[in-house]
Amino acid sequence: MSSQFRAPKGVPEYVPPQSAEFLAIRTALSEPARLAGYGYIELPVFEDTALFERGVGESTDVVSKEMYTFTDRGDRSISLRPEGTAGVMRSVIENGMHRGGLPVKLWYAGPFFRAERPQHGRYRQLQQVGVEAIGSDDPALDAEVVALADRAFRGVGLTEYILELNSLGCAACRPAYAGLLREFLTGCELDEATRERARLNPLRVLDDKRPEVQAQVAAAPLPVDHLCAECAAHYDATRGFLADLGVTWQESPRLVRGLDYYTRTAFEFTHPGLGAQSGIGGGGRYDGLMSALGGSELSGIGFGLGVDRTLLAAQAECVEWSDPDRVVCFLVPLGDPARHEAVLLLGALRDSGVGADMAFDSRGLKGAMKAADRSGARYALIIGEDEIAAGTVMVRDLVEGTQEPVPIDDVVVRMMGSAG
Ligand code: HAM
C-alpha cells in the first residue's frame, strides 16, 4: 500500500546511497573555509520578515515573490530564510562579534527556502555552504573569498566550471552610474515589468537573460567603465591577488546578481553541465549592509555555494565519490548462541572505531549474505556452531571471494588493520 503523503513539491530528498554523496560534497565545500580560519555559525532557519526586506531588498524577486512568510502565534511576521547573509549580519551585530578582532570570518551550511517554480536544479528547499568575512576593505580578502569558493569546487573534483567576475561600484559612484543607465533604458523598448525594474534597480536589467532584452542593452553603459578611483583601484588590486592565487576568471561586465546588497566585487560560478540553472555558487561585497541593518559602518564579503547544484555538476562530470560511512564488516550469526557472540563482537568492533553491522531477524545464510553484500562491507564475519566450538569467526573477503577462520579474540585487531 503506498502512502498518500509526498514530500513537498520542489524539495529534493537525499536518501541512501545518494545521500552519502550529498554529505561528502557538503563537507568538501566547507573544507577550504575551515582551513582558512573561518568559525562555524549555526543560524536560525526563520527570522523577522523585515530583516530580509531591509537586508536583501524589497525589489528583489527573492524577497518580493519567493519568501515563505507567515504570521506566528505572537502575531509577528516571520519568514523562512531565503539566504544566509542577512541572518549572519544580524547575528554579528546582536552578539557584538565585530568588537573582537576584524575581520570576523564565519561559515555556515544548511537549507534555505525560495518559492520558485521547481525545475531541474531549482528547488524550493535548497542547500548552501556559505562564508561571510566582515570588517575589512582589503582587496586581498576579496581574493581570499573568491579563491576559497574556487578551491571548494576543485576539492569536489569539478574542473569545468567558469568563474565570472565584475565590480559594481560603491555608494559614491553607483548613483551617478545608475542615473546614466536609467536614462539609457528609457530610450529602449522594454515591456512594462522590465521598465518598472529599470526604475527600481536599473542594474538588474543589465543581466536579464532574455535575448530581446540583451539586444536592447547591448550598447548600455557598464559599471566597470564608471567606477570611482577607489573602486577601480580596489578591483585592480583584487584581480592582482587573484592572479597571485592562481585563480582564473572571466570578466563579466554585465554580471549583477539577484540580491540588492552587493557593492564592488561580484562573482558567480557557472557550470555548463546544468542547463538553465547553471549558477553553482556566487557572492560579492556588501559594504552598506551592516549599517542598513542598524549596525556600524563595517564592510563585508562572502559567498553561497549551492550544494544541490554542485552534486548535479559532479554527476555531470562523472566525479566518483567513495562512501566513507560504509561499514567495513557485516556479522552473520547462524543460530541463537551465535547471535549472542555476534552482538558482543559488534559492540567490540564499534568501540574500536570499526564500522560494523549485523544481520537481524535470524535469517538463514543466504539471506544474511545478501544483506552483507547490500551493506557495502568488505568482510562478512560468519559465526555458526562450528566457529563457536572452535572459538573462531569465518572472515570472508567479499571482494576477493576468499575466506579463512580467525580466532575470535583476534578479529577486532584484524578488522582495525583493514579499516584504514
Ligand atoms: P545566491 O546567488 O542567491 O546568493 O545563491 C547562492 C547559490 O545557491 C546559487 O549560486 C545556487 O547554486 C544556489 N541556489 C540558489 N537558489 C537555488 C534554488 N532555488 N535551487 C537550487 N539552488 C539554488 C546568496 O544566497 C547569497 N547569500 C550569497 C552571498 C553570501 N553573497 C554574499 N555572501
Side-chain angles (χ1 to χ4, degrees), residues 62 82-85 108 114 116 121-124 126-128 131-132 257 259 261-262 268-269 279-284 286 301-309:
V62 167
E83 62 97 54
T85 312
Y108 52 90
R114 298 181 186 180
E116 300 199 75
R122 186 161 74 190
Y123 306 122
R124 291 182 171 172
L126 58 120
Q127 300 273 346
Q128 282 184 13
V131 311
E132 313 294 348
R257 310 235 339 111
L259 313 168
Y261 47 61
Y262 290 112
E268 208 153 83
F269 290 82
I280 53 172
Y286 41 84
I301 178 162
F303 61 64
L305 311 182
V307 184
D308 314 89
R309 289 187 192 169

Side-chain angles (χ1 to χ4, degrees), residues 73-152:
R73 288 167 196 273
D75 240 9
R76 288 170 286 255
S77 180
I78 296 290
S79 293
L80 298 186
R81 58 182 187 184
E83 62 97 54
T85 312
V88 169
M89 291 310 273
R90 195 260 316 128
S91 180
V92 168
I93 298 168
E94 187 173 340
N95 293 293
M97 281 184 245
H98 55 293
R99 289 197 287 270
L102 294 176
V104 179
K105 292 162 81 168
L106 300 164
W107 75 274
Y108 52 90
F112 296 87
F113 305 88
R114 298 181 186 180
E116 300 199 75
R117 205 159 37 80
Q119 54 176 266
H120 184 68
R122 186 161 74 190
Y123 306 122
R124 291 182 171 172
Q125 177 175 309
L126 58 120
Q127 300 273 346
Q128 282 184 13
V129 167
V131 311
E132 313 294 348
I134 294 139
S136 167
D137 293 328
D138 191 337
L141 187 63
D142 297 49
E144 163 169 304
V145 167
V146 175
L148 286 177
D150 182 61
R151 189 166 295 156

Side-chain angles (χ1 to χ4, degrees), residues 312-368:
L312 294 173
Q315 286 165 350
E317 286 199 38
C318 299
V319 175
E320 297 271 340
W321 284 88
S322 64
D323 176 359
D325 293 334
R326 286 217 300 207
V327 294
V328 174
C329 44
F330 194 90
L331 278 63
V332 175
L334 302 169
D336 266 344
R339 281 160 58 75
H340 285 283
E341 292 292 339
V343 166
L344 281 172
L345 183 54
L346 192 62
L349 285 162
R350 290 175 178 171
D351 284 348
S352 304
V354 179
D357 196 2
M358 72 175 250
F360 290 98
D361 295 320
S362 308
R363 288 182 223 192
L365 182 61
K366 214 169 139 210

Side-chain angles (χ1 to χ4, degrees), residues 21-338:
E21 205 179 329
F22 173 85
L23 261 185
I25 285 181
R26 194 173 61 180
T27 306
L29 287 177
S30 65
E31 184 80 5
R34 284 184 283 139
L35 288 176
Y38 287 67
Y40 179 70
I41 179 166
E42 177 74 36
L43 293 163
V45 169
F46 56 83
E47 300 260 9
D48 279 349
T49 302
L51 172 70
F52 301 116
E53 287 172 346
R54 200 155 347 136
V56 180
E58 282 181 275
S59 76
T60 60
D61 283 355
V62 167
V63 168
S64 66
K65 299 185 190 154
E66 297 169 1
M67 280 213 296
Y68 285 96
T69 298
F70 58 96
T71 307
D72 75 359
R73 288 167 196 273
D75 240 9
R76 288 170 286 255
S77 180
I78 296 290
S79 293
L80 298 186
R81 58 182 187 184
E83 62 97 54
T85 312
V88 169
M89 291 310 273
R90 195 260 316 128
S91 180
V92 168
I93 298 168
E94 187 173 340
N95 293 293
M97 281 184 245
H98 55 293
R99 289 197 287 270
L102 294 176
V104 179
K105 292 162 81 168
L106 300 164
W107 75 274
Y108 52 90
F112 296 87
F113 305 88
R114 298 181 186 180
E116 300 199 75
R117 205 159 37 80
Q119 54 176 266
H120 184 68
R122 186 161 74 190
Y123 306 122
R124 291 182 171 172
Q125 177 175 309
L126 58 120
Q127 300 273 346
Q128 282 184 13
V129 167
V131 311
E132 313 294 348
I134 294 139
S136 167
D137 293 328
D138 191 337
L141 187 63
D142 297 49
E144 163 169 304
V145 167
V146 175
L148 286 177
D150 182 61
R151 189 166 295 156
F153 289 129
R154 264 193 288 132
V156 167
L158 299 183
T159 57
E160 293 173 11
Y161 59 86
I162 292 162
L163 164 60
E164 297 181 40
L165 193 65
N166 196 13
S167 177
L168 300 175
C170 67
C173 54
R174 175 94 64 83
Y177 165 70
L180 257 181
L181 181 60
R182 208 174 269 125
E183 205 170 295
F184 174 89
L185 293 172
T186 44
C188 294
E189 285 183 23
L190 301 167
D191 59 84
E192 200 38 52
T194 312
R195 218 164 259 296
E196 175 63 8
R197 195 172 313 144
R199 203 179 56 74
L200 288 171
N201 186 350
L203 273 77
R204 191 73 52 63
V205 183
L206 270 189
D207 82 346
D208 192 314
K209 301 289 182 285
R210 291 173 297 176
E212 63 275 20
V213 181
Q214 277 304 310
Q216 289 279 328
V217 301
L222 296 170
V224 271
D225 298 325
H226 296 272
L227 300 176
C228 60
E230 286 80 8
C231 285
H234 184 93
Y235 195 30
D236 280 346
T238 299
R239 288 180 287 193
F241 286 118
L242 270 181
D244 291 342
L245 288 162
V247 175
T248 48
W249 71 90
Q250 276 179 13
E251 305 275 329
S252 189
R254 291 195 162 71
L255 174 73
V256 171
R257 310 235 339 111
L259 313 168
D260 272 355
Y261 47 61
Y262 290 112
T263 53
R264 292 192 167 173
T265 311
F267 57 96
E268 208 153 83
F269 290 82
T270 58
H271 196 281
L274 288 187
Q277 306 306 317
S278 61
I280 53 172
R285 260 197 181 274
Y286 41 84
D287 292 346
L289 180 57
M290 193 168 194
S291 58
L293 294 177
S296 25
E297 295 277 346
L298 288 180
S299 55
I301 178 162
F303 61 64
L305 311 182
V307 184
D308 314 89
R309 289 187 192 169
T310 304
L311 177 64
L312 294 173
Q315 286 165 350
E317 286 199 38
C318 299
V319 175
E320 297 271 340
W321 284 88
S322 64
D323 176 359
D325 293 334
R326 286 217 300 207
V327 294
V328 174
C329 44
F330 194 90
L331 278 63
V332 175
L334 302 169
D336 266 344

